[in-house]
Amino acid sequence: MTDTTMTIADTAVELQNELLLKALRLETLDRPPVWMMRQAGRYLPEYMALRRKYDFFTRVQTPELACEITLQPIDIIGVDAAILFSDILVVPQAMGLEVNMEEGRGPWLPSPVQDASDLKRLHAEEAAEKLSYVYDAIRLTRRALNGRVPLIGFAGAPFTLLCYMVDGGGSKTFSKTMAFCETFPDVAQQLLRSITSVTIDYLIAQAHAGADVIQVFDSWSGLLDEQAYSQLSHPWLAMIAEAVAPHAPVILFPKGSNHALPLLSQTQGVSAIGIDWTLDPAQARQLTGGRVALQGNFNPQWLHHSPAQIRQEVTAMIDAFGTRGYIANLGHGITPDVPVDHARAFVNAVKEYSHAEK
Ligand code: CP3
């Protein structure tokens, strides 16, 4: 079968759960769709079993394994959307940077970008083509889902990827990155431009392979003040949203950048914005003026509360956001120490919302 026939065959399967797509179209629903950032991950014993057998990039690069891990939270927790098991760092890797994942410690890039000369080591052309294993995983997962729930594809935002590419790993302050952007503003712009062009091709290819929705994770944009944000983050997100939106609805997750909500909600091609738990839902609605759907923002730490308490907190959260253009989610990823029952309590509380006392 050629790629084209597979795409046509896949789209022919009718989606049985359209809640996420309806919320993205700003429809009012009886209850919101629910999924959890990092829902395919270490809190699931079934994930841990595969993690013992295969290393991180083997899991990411083997479509059958990525597909199996993507389906786990659908079968075990019952979320309304699947998000492909992959990582934002596959893009720098495809551009030619070595990326290691140290289990339990996080990513480590031994030869980070330090100055203009390092840009020569990076290859933007063909990087999106090298990620064909991701498109294969999407096609396989799409077939395995058989229309049960929509599939979310994703990428890291250019600024967040730059943070890892320059700092060489995770950090609380990304101080090497901040110094790099100040010392070499032109090199930073050049690097962001090249990441953006790869990301656009990559996300459009994900949509063509069958991703129903695209999310862009700007996990570190909270490091930037408004002025820096307007140079290092927003222009690139705007280019991506505009280019990708004709192919699939786009959700942005600008973690920690509450000041950017008015601007992002007026950016062409943005269907939804994910917010973290530091912002009050009413304030988020006010800042975004009903122009986009909102996603979030349950404090991931609250998943340690009792299931009864989680249910109450979820009900209050949905009351505060309202059921028009709203996607229930966490304010950041679920942590490995959360009991599976508590994750299920969160999801069930959303699903039972219409029956909840109001
Ligand atoms: O959400 C999902 O379930 C889909 C899969 C997914 C992963 N990473 C798998 C993963 C997604 C959407 C990501 C995105 C990602 N990766 C982000 C943005 C989201 C966020 O949390 O802010 C970032 C910053 C990364 C980079 C990254 N990958 C880090 C910092 C780490 C180590 C920290 C951690 O959570 O372990 C990873 C590893 C990683 N990516 C794991 C998973 C399931 C854990 C790997 C393991 O030890 O098994």
Side-chain angles (χ1 to χ4, degrees), residues 35-42 47-48 51 56 59-60 73 83-89 101-107 154 156 160 164 170 217-220 253 255 332-333 336:
W35 67 281
M36 292 180 296
M37 287 189 277
R38 294 295 188 99
Q39 64 189 17
R42 285 168 295 175
Y47 174 80
M48 294 310 277
R51 188 178 185 266
F56 184 74
R59 300 196 294 279
V60 165
I83 178 160
L84 184 75
F85 177 76
S86 185
D87 200 84
I88 63 170
L89 297 172
M101 191 61 74
E102 299 201 359
E103 311 276 335
R105 284 186 50 203
F154 71 91
T160 287
Y164 287 101
F217 288 90
D218 212 352
S219 306
W220 294 106
F253 179 56
K255 180 157 189 302
H332 200 191

